[in-house]
Amino acid sequence: MKKLILLRGPSGSGKSTIAETIGGKIFETDKFWERNGEYKFDPSKLGLAHAWNQTNVNTACNFGEELVVVANTNMTMWEMKPYLKTAAEYGYELEVIRTPGPWDPDVLFKRNVHGVPLGTLEKQVKKYQEHDDETEWTDMSIFKNEQRT
């Protein structure tokens, strides 16, 4: 059966590492800002970036990609909604995985690779809404090269 995995967690919590471990076709809104190996975030294009990622996920599901992994913060239900809708529309089994906690903004600040400010990380953690069917990633061995708390 085709599966869509939705990863959730604040910046610096291990979403990309988990996605690479899972495999499949990986989609991250952050890729919108990567050009020629450089990451240049432009907050004025955040809506466009999310629409771009959602379109790419929708296209992959439309073409029947077996395993689709979305690695975005997805901290609120409304951020997850387009992906939940896509999974249902194309008949994908849905799995929602939360990155390991607890989420300490100070630790996340040191770990995140895109320079997300501490205040933004604090807001991400604070706005988190639990999904009824989510599970927490438990294989901590994949983070062996990263400082974890």
mmCIF file of all heavy atoms in Angstrom, residues 7-36:
data_model
loop_
_atom_site.group_PDB
_atom_site.id
_atom_site.type_symbol
_atom_site.label_atom_id
_atom_site.label_comp_id
_atom_site.label_asym_id
_atom_site.label_seq_id
_atom_site.Cartn_x
_atom_site.Cartn_y
_atom_site.Cartn_z
ATOM 1 N N LEU A 7 6.237 14.136 8.827
ATOM 2 C CA LEU A 7 7.119 14.374 9.961
ATOM 3 C C LEU A 7 6.809 15.732 10.566
ATOM 4 O O LEU A 7 6.534 16.683 9.840
ATOM 5 C CB LEU A 7 8.585 14.316 9.528
ATOM 6 C CG LEU A 7 9.058 12.973 8.992
ATOM 7 C CD1 LEU A 7 10.480 13.072 8.468
ATOM 8 C CD2 LEU A 7 8.952 11.904 10.054
ATOM 9 N N ARG A 8 6.868 15.788 11.897
ATOM 10 C CA ARG A 8 6.548 17.022 12.608
ATOM 11 C C ARG A 8 7.627 17.319 13.638
ATOM 12 O O ARG A 8 8.140 16.420 14.280
ATOM 13 C CB ARG A 8 5.245 16.874 13.378
ATOM 14 C CG ARG A 8 4.105 16.328 12.614
ATOM 15 C CD ARG A 8 2.859 16.290 13.474
ATOM 16 N NE ARG A 8 2.437 17.651 13.753
ATOM 17 C CZ ARG A 8 1.618 17.991 14.745
ATOM 18 N NH1 ARG A 8 1.163 17.074 15.556
ATOM 19 N NH2 ARG A 8 1.269 19.237 14.924
ATOM 20 N N GLY A 9 7.924 18.576 13.802
ATOM 21 C CA GLY A 9 8.865 18.998 14.829
ATOM 22 C C GLY A 9 9.450 20.349 14.489
ATOM 23 O O GLY A 9 9.502 20.738 13.326
ATOM 24 N N PRO A 10 9.898 21.074 15.503
ATOM 25 C CA PRO A 10 10.478 22.389 15.244
ATOM 26 C C PRO A 10 11.792 22.290 14.471
ATOM 27 O O PRO A 10 12.381 21.207 14.347
ATOM 28 C CB PRO A 10 10.702 22.959 16.653
ATOM 29 C CG PRO A 10 10.679 21.798 17.568
ATOM 30 C CD PRO A 10 9.878 20.723 16.916
ATOM 31 N N SER A 11 12.241 23.400 13.988
ATOM 32 C CA SER A 11 13.520 23.472 13.272
ATOM 33 C C SER A 11 14.627 22.962 14.185
ATOM 34 O O SER A 11 14.665 23.285 15.368
ATOM 35 C CB SER A 11 13.811 24.915 12.862
ATOM 36 O OG SER A 11 12.773 25.406 12.040
ATOM 37 N N GLY A 12 15.494 22.114 13.642
ATOM 38 C CA GLY A 12 16.611 21.591 14.403
ATOM 39 C C GLY A 12 16.299 20.340 15.209
ATOM 40 O O GLY A 12 17.141 19.859 15.959
ATOM 41 N N SER A 13 15.104 19.773 15.032
ATOM 42 C CA SER A 13 14.710 18.621 15.849
ATOM 43 C C SER A 13 14.973 17.272 15.184
ATOM 44 O O SER A 13 14.713 16.232 15.780
ATOM 45 C CB SER A 13 13.230 18.722 16.243
ATOM 46 O OG SER A 13 12.387 18.639 15.105
ATOM 47 N N GLY A 14 15.468 17.278 13.933
ATOM 48 C CA GLY A 14 15.858 16.031 13.292
ATOM 49 C C GLY A 14 14.975 15.537 12.166
ATOM 50 O O GLY A 14 15.112 14.394 11.733
ATOM 51 N N LYS A 15 14.105 16.373 11.642
ATOM 52 C CA LYS A 15 13.185 15.937 10.578
ATOM 53 C C LYS A 15 13.931 15.442 9.341
ATOM 54 O O LYS A 15 13.603 14.377 8.805
ATOM 55 C CB LYS A 15 12.230 17.071 10.194
ATOM 56 C CG LYS A 15 11.279 17.470 11.289
ATOM 57 C CD LYS A 15 10.408 18.643 10.893
ATOM 58 C CE LYS A 15 11.164 19.876 10.484
ATOM 59 N NZ LYS A 15 11.971 20.500 11.544
ATOM 60 N N SER A 16 14.912 16.167 8.888
ATOM 61 C CA SER A 16 15.652 15.766 7.682
ATOM 62 C C SER A 16 16.426 14.476 7.912
ATOM 63 O O SER A 16 16.470 13.608 7.033
ATOM 64 C CB SER A 16 16.609 16.876 7.245
ATOM 65 O OG SER A 16 15.883 18.031 6.869
ATOM 66 N N THR A 17 17.014 14.334 9.081
ATOM 67 C CA THR A 17 17.752 13.121 9.410
ATOM 68 C C THR A 17 16.809 11.911 9.411
ATOM 69 O O THR A 17 17.131 10.852 8.864
ATOM 70 C CB THR A 17 18.447 13.261 10.780
ATOM 71 O OG1 THR A 17 19.332 14.379 10.721
ATOM 72 C CG2 THR A 17 19.216 12.008 11.148
ATOM 73 N N ILE A 18 15.647 12.078 10.022
ATOM 74 C CA ILE A 18 14.655 10.998 10.053
ATOM 75 C C ILE A 18 14.185 10.680 8.640
ATOM 76 O O ILE A 18 14.077 9.512 8.260
ATOM 77 C CB ILE A 18 13.465 11.359 10.971
ATOM 78 C CG1 ILE A 18 13.934 11.435 12.433
ATOM 79 C CG2 ILE A 18 12.325 10.361 10.816
ATOM 80 C CD1 ILE A 18 12.920 12.034 13.387
ATOM 81 N N ALA A 19 13.901 11.715 7.847
ATOM 82 C CA ALA A 19 13.432 11.509 6.470
ATOM 83 C C ALA A 19 14.445 10.711 5.661
ATOM 84 O O ALA A 19 14.076 9.780 4.932
ATOM 85 C CB ALA A 19 13.152 12.849 5.799
ATOM 86 N N GLU A 20 15.714 11.048 5.785
ATOM 87 C CA GLU A 20 16.761 10.324 5.056
ATOM 88 C C GLU A 20 16.837 8.865 5.509
ATOM 89 O O GLU A 20 17.090 7.978 4.702
ATOM 90 C CB GLU A 20 18.116 11.016 5.230
ATOM 91 C CG GLU A 20 18.220 12.345 4.502
ATOM 92 C CD GLU A 20 18.116 12.223 2.991
ATOM 93 O OE1 GLU A 20 18.579 11.221 2.421
ATOM 94 O OE2 GLU A 20 17.566 13.149 2.367
ATOM 95 N N THR A 21 16.602 8.630 6.778
ATOM 96 C CA THR A 21 16.609 7.265 7.311
ATOM 97 C C THR A 21 15.439 6.459 6.761
ATOM 98 O O THR A 21 15.594 5.290 6.397
ATOM 99 C CB THR A 21 16.555 7.289 8.852
ATOM 100 O OG1 THR A 21 17.711 7.987 9.332
ATOM 101 C CG2 THR A 21 16.514 5.893 9.437
ATOM 102 N N ILE A 22 14.282 7.087 6.671
ATOM 103 C CA ILE A 22 13.079 6.418 6.162
ATOM 104 C C ILE A 22 13.214 6.126 4.673
ATOM 105 O O ILE A 22 12.861 5.054 4.203
ATOM 106 C CB ILE A 22 11.821 7.269 6.429
ATOM 107 C CG1 ILE A 22 11.550 7.356 7.933
ATOM 108 C CG2 ILE A 22 10.605 6.716 5.685
ATOM 109 C CD1 ILE A 22 10.485 8.372 8.319
ATOM 110 N N GLY A 23 13.715 7.107 3.928
ATOM 111 C CA GLY A 23 13.836 6.951 2.479
ATOM 112 C C GLY A 23 12.566 7.377 1.775
ATOM 113 O O GLY A 23 11.774 8.146 2.293
ATOM 114 N N GLY A 24 12.367 6.885 0.579
ATOM 115 C CA GLY A 24 11.210 7.299 -0.218
ATOM 116 C C GLY A 24 11.462 8.621 -0.908
ATOM 117 O O GLY A 24 12.596 9.110 -1.004
ATOM 118 N N LYS A 25 10.399 9.220 -1.387
ATOM 119 C CA LYS A 25 10.467 10.529 -2.041
ATOM 120 C C LYS A 25 10.243 11.573 -0.952
ATOM 121 O O LYS A 25 9.182 11.634 -0.339
ATOM 122 C CB LYS A 25 9.391 10.607 -3.127
ATOM 123 C CG LYS A 25 9.478 11.815 -3.983
ATOM 124 C CD LYS A 25 10.583 11.685 -5.007
ATOM 125 C CE LYS A 25 10.477 12.836 -5.988
ATOM 126 N NZ LYS A 25 11.643 12.955 -6.803
ATOM 127 N N ILE A 26 11.272 12.383 -0.676
ATOM 128 C CA ILE A 26 11.251 13.333 0.437
ATOM 129 C C ILE A 26 10.954 14.737 -0.063
ATOM 130 O O ILE A 26 11.557 15.203 -1.027
ATOM 131 C CB ILE A 26 12.598 13.309 1.191
ATOM 132 C CG1 ILE A 26 12.865 11.902 1.734
ATOM 133 C CG2 ILE A 26 12.623 14.351 2.309
ATOM 134 C CD1 ILE A 26 14.273 11.694 2.248
ATOM 135 N N PHE A 27 10.038 15.394 0.648
ATOM 136 C CA PHE A 27 9.653 16.767 0.316
ATOM 137 C C PHE A 27 9.826 17.650 1.538
ATOM 138 O O PHE A 27 9.343 17.320 2.620
ATOM 139 C CB PHE A 27 8.200 16.818 -0.170
ATOM 140 C CG PHE A 27 7.986 16.064 -1.444
ATOM 141 C CD1 PHE A 27 7.592 14.739 -1.408
ATOM 142 C CD2 PHE A 27 8.213 16.661 -2.673
ATOM 143 C CE1 PHE A 27 7.398 14.016 -2.572
ATOM 144 C CE2 PHE A 27 8.033 15.941 -3.849
ATOM 145 C CZ PHE A 27 7.627 14.624 -3.797
ATOM 146 N N GLU A 28 10.520 18.779 1.350
ATOM 147 C CA GLU A 28 10.740 19.751 2.412
ATOM 148 C C GLU A 28 10.563 21.152 1.826
ATOM 149 O O GLU A 28 11.179 21.476 0.815
ATOM 150 C CB GLU A 28 12.155 19.640 2.971
ATOM 151 C CG GLU A 28 12.483 18.303 3.598
ATOM 152 C CD GLU A 28 13.950 18.201 3.986
ATOM 153 O OE1 GLU A 28 14.768 17.903 3.102
ATOM 154 O OE2 GLU A 28 14.237 18.424 5.165
ATOM 155 N N THR A 29 9.764 21.970 2.478
ATOM 156 C CA THR A 29 9.582 23.341 2.020
ATOM 157 C C THR A 29 10.908 24.089 2.006
ATOM 158 O O THR A 29 11.135 24.946 1.150
ATOM 159 C CB THR A 29 8.536 24.061 2.890
ATOM 160 O OG1 THR A 29 7.278 23.375 2.743
ATOM 161 C CG2 THR A 29 8.349 25.507 2.479
ATOM 162 N N ASP A 30 11.818 23.754 2.921
ATOM 163 C CA ASP A 30 13.133 24.410 2.957
ATOM 164 C C ASP A 30 13.884 24.314 1.633
ATOM 165 O O ASP A 30 14.711 25.177 1.319
ATOM 166 C CB ASP A 30 14.004 23.818 4.069
ATOM 167 C CG ASP A 30 13.709 24.435 5.424
ATOM 168 O OD1 ASP A 30 13.205 25.570 5.474
ATOM 169 O OD2 ASP A 30 14.007 23.778 6.440
ATOM 170 N N LYS A 31 13.620 23.280 0.865
ATOM 171 C CA LYS A 31 14.313 23.112 -0.425
ATOM 172 C C LYS A 31 13.994 24.254 -1.390
ATOM 173 O O LYS A 31 14.760 24.516 -2.318
ATOM 174 C CB LYS A 31 13.942 21.769 -1.072
ATOM 175 C CG LYS A 31 14.337 20.560 -0.251
ATOM 176 C CD LYS A 31 15.824 20.410 -0.160
ATOM 177 C CE LYS A 31 16.172 19.145 0.609
ATOM 178 N NZ LYS A 31 17.522 19.115 1.071
ATOM 179 N N PHE A 32 12.884 24.935 -1.180
ATOM 180 C CA PHE A 32 12.491 26.066 -2.024
ATOM 181 C C PHE A 32 13.569 27.154 -2.018
ATOM 182 O O PHE A 32 13.776 27.836 -3.023
ATOM 183 C CB PHE A 32 11.157 26.639 -1.524
ATOM 184 C CG PHE A 32 10.656 27.823 -2.300
ATOM 185 C CD1 PHE A 32 9.909 27.650 -3.460
ATOM 186 C CD2 PHE A 32 10.905 29.119 -1.865
ATOM 187 C CE1 PHE A 32 9.425 28.737 -4.173
ATOM 188 C CE2 PHE A 32 10.422 30.219 -2.566
ATOM 189 C CZ PHE A 32 9.686 30.019 -3.722
ATOM 190 N N TRP A 33 14.235 27.306 -0.875
ATOM 191 C CA TRP A 33 15.222 28.378 -0.726
ATOM 192 C C TRP A 33 16.647 27.935 -1.005
ATOM 193 O O TRP A 33 17.574 28.719 -0.843
ATOM 194 C CB TRP A 33 15.136 28.973 0.684
ATOM 195 C CG TRP A 33 13.909 29.806 0.857
ATOM 196 C CD1 TRP A 33 13.672 31.040 0.325
ATOM 197 C CD2 TRP A 33 12.736 29.470 1.578
ATOM 198 N NE1 TRP A 33 12.430 31.477 0.671
ATOM 199 C CE2 TRP A 33 11.827 30.535 1.459
ATOM 200 C CE3 TRP A 33 12.361 28.364 2.337
ATOM 201 C CZ2 TRP A 33 10.587 30.539 2.052
ATOM 202 C CZ3 TRP A 33 11.110 28.363 2.927
ATOM 203 C CH2 TRP A 33 10.245 29.438 2.781
ATOM 204 N N GLU A 34 16.846 26.701 -1.422
ATOM 205 C CA GLU A 34 18.192 26.228 -1.719
ATOM 206 C C GLU A 34 18.500 26.402 -3.209
ATOM 207 O O GLU A 34 17.810 25.859 -4.059
ATOM 208 C CB GLU A 34 18.349 24.760 -1.320
ATOM 209 C CG GLU A 34 18.361 24.565 0.177
ATOM 210 C CD GLU A 34 18.547 23.124 0.583
ATOM 211 O OE1 GLU A 34 18.756 22.256 -0.292
ATOM 212 O OE2 GLU A 34 18.467 22.867 1.790
ATOM 213 N N ARG A 35 19.542 27.162 -3.469
ATOM 214 C CA ARG A 35 19.996 27.375 -4.843
ATOM 215 C C ARG A 35 21.509 27.283 -4.876
ATOM 216 O O ARG A 35 22.192 27.977 -4.098
ATOM 217 C CB ARG A 35 19.576 28.770 -5.358
ATOM 218 C CG ARG A 35 18.076 29.004 -5.426
ATOM 219 C CD ARG A 35 17.445 28.213 -6.570
ATOM 220 N NE ARG A 35 16.037 28.493 -6.693
ATOM 221 C CZ ARG A 35 15.068 27.793 -6.101
ATOM 222 N NH1 ARG A 35 15.350 26.795 -5.326
ATOM 223 N NH2 ARG A 35 13.795 28.103 -6.289
ATOM 224 N N ASN A 36 22.025 26.446 -5.751
ATOM 225 C CA ASN A 36 23.474 26.296 -5.906
ATOM 226 C C ASN A 36 24.170 26.024 -4.573
ATOM 227 O O ASN A 36 25.224 26.597 -4.283
ATOM 228 C CB ASN A 36 24.067 27.531 -6.586
ATOM 229 C CG ASN A 36 23.453 27.785 -7.937
ATOM 230 O OD1 ASN A 36 23.206 26.863 -8.705
ATOM 231 N ND2 ASN A 36 23.189 29.048 -8.236
#
